Amino acid sequence: MKINNLTIEEVTLIDLAGNVDANTALTIQEKVLPLAQTGRKILMDMTKVPYMSSAGLRVLLLLYRQVSAKDGRIVLVGLSEEIQDTMSVTGFLDFFTTRETIQSGLEALN
Amino acid sequence: MMDNVNFPFSDLIAGYVTFFDSDNDIFGIQCSDGREFLVALSPITYAKLIQNLGEPYPDATGAMRSMLTPGRYLFTYGIFYPDSPKFEAKQVIFVGRTSQDYIFEKPHWWINQVHSLAEFYLKAQFRDEEIDYRNYRTTLNITGIKPLDNFRQETDTISRLIYGFATAYMMTGEDKFLEAAEKGTTYLREHMRFVDLDEGIAYWYHGIDVQGDREQKLFASEFDDDYDAIPAYEQIYALAGPIQTYRITGDPHILDDAELTVKLFNDFFLDKSEYGGYFSHLDPVTLDPRSDSLGRNRAKKNWNSIGDHAPAYLFNLWLATGKQEYADMLEYTFDTIERRFPDWEHSPFVQERFYEDWSADTTWGWQQNRAVVGHNLKIAWNLIRMYNLKPKDKYAELATRIAEIMPSVGSDQQRGGWYDMVERSLEAGQSHYRYVWHDRKAWWQQEQAILAYFIVAGTLKNQEYLRLARESAAFYNAWFLDIEDGGIYFNVLANGIPYLTSGNERSKGSHSMSLYHSTELCYLAAVYSNLLINKNPMTFYFKPIPGGFPDNILHVYPDILPPGSIRIGECEINGEIYSNYDAEKLIVKLPLDEKEIKVKVKIVPN
């Protein structure tokens, strides 16, 4: 799992690469949750995430809660079809904003 | 030098009339612990009977003097003056019309009460409109009004509300209560449930905030005690309402939810090491009970994580299914309680919090080395239910030991009722276990006492415990019912007057309050007092969905009573007499029907 982040003005772009599962969820939690600062807009690029387990979904929920509690926003981009299916079955798609590309994600945030 | 306490003050006395001297207008009253006081009537002393919800004021002032017959139990509120040995009565509350009559043991008392309670919550949450849980709010004020600026829907308060509606249906057969229970159960599944496809388990969100069409899911707990964790307590209570509804409908979706959640308990909360038991909290991402992220809740076990399975959902799941695996899980939790919780060397109260090796945790948060009186009574009550399912002597022995000890250390033997939280140990020179926060009395702890003493009395045929059950039920019915606004009060002062300053005390929908304990009490107090104590028949209602229950078998066992003590006396389906049932096994073989049916079953004592 590789995690890179880049902050430009009020938007933080988080680039994930690799499977998000029980082995990597804790690392993501430790590195990504602190980025959810007051009013922060987060764009999570998951184009290079081929698989996400339930542990990954739980991290997303915690991140979502932290961002919302601090009046921020989060948009997920580049979800694979399989991950979209998983999120749909578990009811996640309804409350996450998702876009196909970084550009459209930025537009959604702004 | 300090003065003695020698000023006039008002208070309450509960007890049995010992004599009435009509010439001097005085009577004697003997408290639960044997102390006797002299009480003076005055021209303005007024009297009433205990008043149920929805009933007109039952005045008894005119008959008061003639009702002061020896042996009668009553409450009197009045004033002590330091210059007189007589307590001056201002009010008298009788518990029945005749001296041996306990009005709350009339066959319909608790049924009428549950009806009124369910009506109150139905109106508070949904007004007179269509039942739509989108409009549900956890917060309700004392008159049942929802706030305009709070959009929180907590999973466990919805589940508790569902439990209440389902119970009201079972006792009254009114369809609107079942509609509310079923819609709530579906709402929980659609909005609060997380199915973990990798592990094959389900867990339940803490709740959601709703605003318009949007909802924000609250995954981990937001309560101070459990912050940012998945507490066993919340997962346990998420099942309370749906499973009570399953007993009525047999909806296989509910059983599926239950199985997935029980798997969560057994795969993740269960300590599979040599120590055993269930952990109290999981890390929300790793589902690890030993995660450092859990802080003070890391690798801990407590009363709730072990003891709450049985009353909240597991007994009911067994009653509805008869499955051996649930009987085994029940046995495991009670064996654990019996082995780990007693702490007689140090305290008359059980130990409630533990490290993973079962060493006592006397440092945690508000609990420290303190006892919740109601938890001790809850253990006694549920041990006897378990004893009726599997008669291990150790269950009855522990239950009776607790029942024997509790009155002198946890009850108010002058005024009646049960205290809340006390220190587990006496300091040097003390003879009373100190009340931690106050000497107020909480409604749910009264419930534990009433049910504990009724079932111990009925199962072990003990008149002394029946006396304690009646005294406990009298205090609850005299002081906790909100006759004016509906529902019940959260706390009363030691003297029975409602305590209504702010916060929880003025709330009727909040965490733990929402229609669960009050209707559980109505249901089980009715079952125990009617079927076990007074040998009155009771009627229950079910509405199985076509093909819902496995093999079309409806289990109608109302609770776990002594084996052979009850049977089915009569059964109707859609108003017609129906005879395909096994009276002794308490099961009805349902007809193969594609239409919805309503089953009415009369249970009679043997």
Side-chain angles (χ1 to χ4, degrees):
Chain A
M1 167 59 60
K2 287 183 180 171
I3 306 169
N4 294 311
N5 70 83
L6 174 68
T7 299
I8 302 171
E9 295 180 349
E10 58 186 2
V11 176
T12 296
L13 173 66
I14 300 170
D15 180 29
L16 299 182
N19 288 338
V20 181
D21 56 22
N23 294 323
T24 58
L26 215 51
T27 310
I28 296 169
Q29 184 184 7
E30 286 167 0
K31 291 192 175 175
V32 174
L33 281 192
L35 300 175
Q37 301 296 326
T38 302
R40 175 68 51 195
K41 295 174 180 176
I42 291 179
L43 192 67
M44 181 101 86
D45 183 3
M46 299 176 67
T47 311
K48 288 169 276 195
V49 176
Y51 169 75
M52 183 161 61
S53 73
S54 295
L57 291 173
R58 293 195 292 268
V59 171
L60 278 190
L61 270 177
L62 287 183
L63 179 61
Y64 166 75
R65 176 65 185 144
Q66 289 246 355
V67 170
S68 303
K70 293 178 178 173
D71 295 324
R73 293 192 60 197
I74 181 168
V75 172
L76 309 179
V77 300
L79 296 175
S80 71
E81 199 170 319
E82 188 182 344
I83 292 175
Q84 286 209 42
D85 285 349
T86 306
M87 291 181 70
S88 177
V89 168
T90 48
F92 276 56
L93 271 185
D94 294 342
F95 61 93
F96 274 106
T97 304
T98 61
R99 291 291 184 273
E100 291 188 3
T101 64
I102 290 177
Q103 187 56 42
S104 56
L106 283 170
E107 286 167 9
L109 276 177
N110 292 317
Chain B
M1 183 173 166
M2 295 292 178
D3 286 329
N4 289 326
V5 177
N6 64 352
F7 46 82
F9 59 92
S10 60
D11 213 329
L12 181 73
I13 304 177
Y16 300 87
V17 175
T18 53
F19 71 90
F20 175 54
D21 175 352
S22 58
D23 293 337
N24 296 298
D25 230 11
I26 58 173
F27 68 95
I29 185 168
Q30 188 169 44
C31 294
S32 190
D33 58 1
R35 286 174 297 153
E36 190 173 355
F37 298 97
L38 206 55
V39 181
L41 300 176
S42 76
I44 58 91
T45 307
Y46 64 101
K48 72 169 205 171
L49 262 70
I50 284 180
Q51 182 179 7
N52 206 352
L53 294 171
E55 284 184 350
Y57 183 80
D59 188 56
T61 306
M64 178 175 65
R65 286 167 176 80
S66 67
M67 291 173 75
L68 291 170
T69 50
R72 177 193 283 277
Y73 191 73
L74 57 76
F75 297 95
T76 179
Y77 191 86
I79 298 171
F80 282 105
Y81 293 98
D83 57 6
S84 169
K86 288 179 285 190
F87 177 73
E88 190 174 297
K90 298 298 182 190
Q91 184 190 21
V92 173
I93 298 181
F94 294 107
V95 301
R97 284 279 173 201
T98 62
S99 65
Q100 296 305 310
D101 175 30
Y102 292 86
I103 201 166
F104 43 81
E105 290 181 39
K106 300 281 184 204
H108 286 277
W109 177 271
W110 296 107
I111 297 168
N112 293 342
Q113 193 170 113
V114 84
H115 185 273
S116 175
L117 289 167
E119 286 277 12
F120 171 81
Y121 281 91
L122 202 57
K123 188 167 185 188
Q125 290 294 353
F126 309 112
R127 300 290 142 195
D128 294 319
E129 298 162 7
E130 186 186 354
I131 297 168
D132 180 355
Y133 275 78
R134 195 79 183 167
N135 300 322
Y136 168 88
R137 297 290 181 270
T138 286
T139 303
L140 287 180
N141 75 11
I142 196 160
T143 59
I145 302 295
K146 290 183 273 191
L148 299 174
D149 58 352
N150 187 320
F151 308 96
R152 181 64 53 91
Q153 299 184 330
E154 287 172 13
T155 296
D156 91 309
T157 58
I158 294 181
S159 181
R160 289 164 189 264
L161 185 71
I162 294 167
Y163 176 95
F165 287 138
T167 302
Y169 178 80
M170 287 176 82
M171 297 180 79
T172 68
E174 285 201 26
D175 288 340
K176 62 187 176 189
F177 298 142
L178 182 58
E179 180 190 349
E182 288 190 286
K183 283 186 170 174
T185 300
T186 303
Y187 190 83
L188 277 186
R189 184 180 308 117
E190 291 178 350
H191 296 266
M192 311 296 195
R193 188 189 64 162
F194 183 123
V195 176
D196 186 322
L197 300 171
D198 301 314
E199 303 290 350
I201 56 175
Y203 35 85
W204 303 80
Y205 297 110
H206 174 77
I208 58 177
D209 281 332
V210 291
Q211 275 181 304
D213 291 334
R214 288 194 63 78
E215 64 183 49
Q216 184 177 130
K217 292 192 190 305
L218 310 170
F219 175 39
S221 181
E222 307 227 334
F223 291 145
D224 288 345
D225 287 359
D226 314 304
Y227 195 73
D228 245 357
I230 300 180
Y233 178 77
E234 290 184 9
Q235 301 301 312
I236 286 169
Y237 277 96
L239 293 179
I243 289 177
Q244 188 76 335
T245 307
Y246 180 76
R247 293 176 71 181
I248 299 165
T249 66
D251 181 348
H253 295 105
I254 301 176
L255 188 58
D256 193 40
D257 291 340
E259 287 171 347
L260 291 171
T261 312
V262 169
K263 191 166 184 297
L264 164 75
F265 294 132
N266 287 325
D267 286 2
F268 291 93
F269 281 101
L270 181 65
D271 182 357
K272 298 189 181 74
S273 77
E274 60 191 296
Y275 301 120
Y278 290 92
F279 287 110
S280 61
H281 294 78
L282 299 181
D283 177 281
V285 172
T286 61
L287 304 182
D288 179 3
R290 297 183 179 88
S291 169
D292 289 336
S293 71
L294 294 169
R296 66 176 179 170
N297 291 321
R298 183 190 171 278
K300 295 287 182 69
K301 296 161 187 170
N302 63 26
W303 152 255
N304 299 111
S305 70
I306 293 140
D308 265 344
H309 290 274
Y313 73 90
L314 198 50
F315 274 130
N316 291 330
L317 191 53
W318 181 81
L319 286 165
T321 64
K323 282 191 176 179
Q324 187 59 42
E325 65 181 282
Y326 302 131
D328 292 343
M329 187 170 166
L330 282 163
E331 186 178 353
Y332 178 73
T333 62
F334 286 104
D335 284 350
T336 305
I337 289 167
E338 191 276 335
R339 183 175 174 198
R340 305 295 187 182
F341 282 57
D343 185 29
W344 307 124
E345 282 181 28
H346 302 105
S347 174
F349 300 100
V350 298
Q351 177 65 37
E352 297 186 27
R353 289 189 184 266
F354 306 91
Y355 295 98
E356 65 179 313
D357 64 357
W358 295 105
S359 54
D361 174 7
T362 56
T363 64
W364 190 92
W366 49 262
Q367 183 109 41
Q368 302 291 308
N369 189 28
R370 296 162 179 159
V372 179
V373 173
H375 288 165
N376 288 265
L377 296 162
K378 203 170 190 179
I379 289 172
W381 160 39
N382 286 286
L383 274 167
I384 294 297
R385 295 167 97 186
M386 188 65 212
Y387 175 76
N388 288 335
L389 177 60
K390 188 157 189 174
K392 290 184 177 177
D393 289 342
K394 64 181 181 180
Y395 297 153
E397 285 165 12
L398 178 55
T400 47
R401 187 159 183 182
I402 292 172
E404 201 67 39
I405 292 172
M406 279 304 115
S408 63
V409 295
S411 80
D412 182 341
Q413 299 192 307
Q414 175 190 314
R415 307 171 190 87
W418 294 80
Y419 291 116
D420 181 359
M421 195 166 169
V422 296
E423 300 291 346
R424 294 182 67 245
S425 303
L426 295 171
E427 299 284 330
Q430 294 177 346
S431 57
H432 286 75
Y433 288 88
R434 292 306 194 248
Y435 313 120
V436 176
W437 317 115
H438 48 66
D439 62 352
R440 297 193 286 270
K441 296 157 184 171
W443 93 104
W444 72 269
Q445 308 214 38
Q446 315 309 309
E447 179 212 6
Q448 310 309 315
I450 296 165
L451 298 182
Y453 286 103
F454 264 136
I455 196 170
V456 180
T459 300
L460 305 178
K461 313 293 181 207
N462 183 311
Q463 287 298 309
E464 176 65 5
Y465 294 146
L466 179 57
R467 177 177 72 83
L468 292 166
R470 286 172 165 162
E471 291 177 4
S472 303
F475 189 85
Y476 180 86
N477 282 294
W479 303 107
F480 277 92
L481 311 185
D482 185 346
I483 302 295
E484 294 297 321
D485 288 316
I488 46 152
Y489 297 118
F490 196 108
N491 270 334
V492 299
L493 298 172
N495 61 18
I497 304 298
Y499 179 75
L500 300 171
T501 52
S502 62
N504 268 347
E505 281 81 8
R506 294 188 67 82
S507 169
K508 286 190 173 149
S510 69
H511 171 65
S512 81
M513 184 66 172
S514 173
L515 200 57
Y516 171 68
H517 286 292
S518 56
T519 54
E520 180 181 63
L521 172 62
C522 288
Y523 180 77
L524 290 173
V527 167
Y528 298 158
S529 62
N530 280 323
L531 296 173
L532 267 186
I533 306 291
N534 296 314
K535 304 293 182 186
N536 293 317
M538 266 190 85
T539 299
F540 300 90
Y541 298 86
F542 303 88
K543 207 167 194 178
I545 64 172
F549 285 110
D551 304 319
N552 273 336
I553 290 175
L554 171 67
H555 295 256
V556 298
Y557 200 176
D559 195 52
I560 307 179
L561 305 180
S565 60
I566 54 172
R567 68 181 190 281
I568 296 175
E570 195 175 280
C571 178
E572 288 178 19
I573 289 186
N574 294 338
E576 303 284 332
I577 294 290
Y578 185 76
S579 57
N580 193 2
Y581 58 80
D582 186 323
E584 305 301 329
K585 289 183 178 171
L586 295 147
I587 56 174
V588 176
K589 180 73 178 164
L590 297 169
L592 293 171
D593 207 322
E594 292 184 358
K595 289 178 290 186
E596 191 175 71
I597 56 171
K598 189 166 185 172
V599 184
K600 181 179 174 186
V601 178
K602 184 196 275 187
I603 303 291
V604 297
N606 284 326

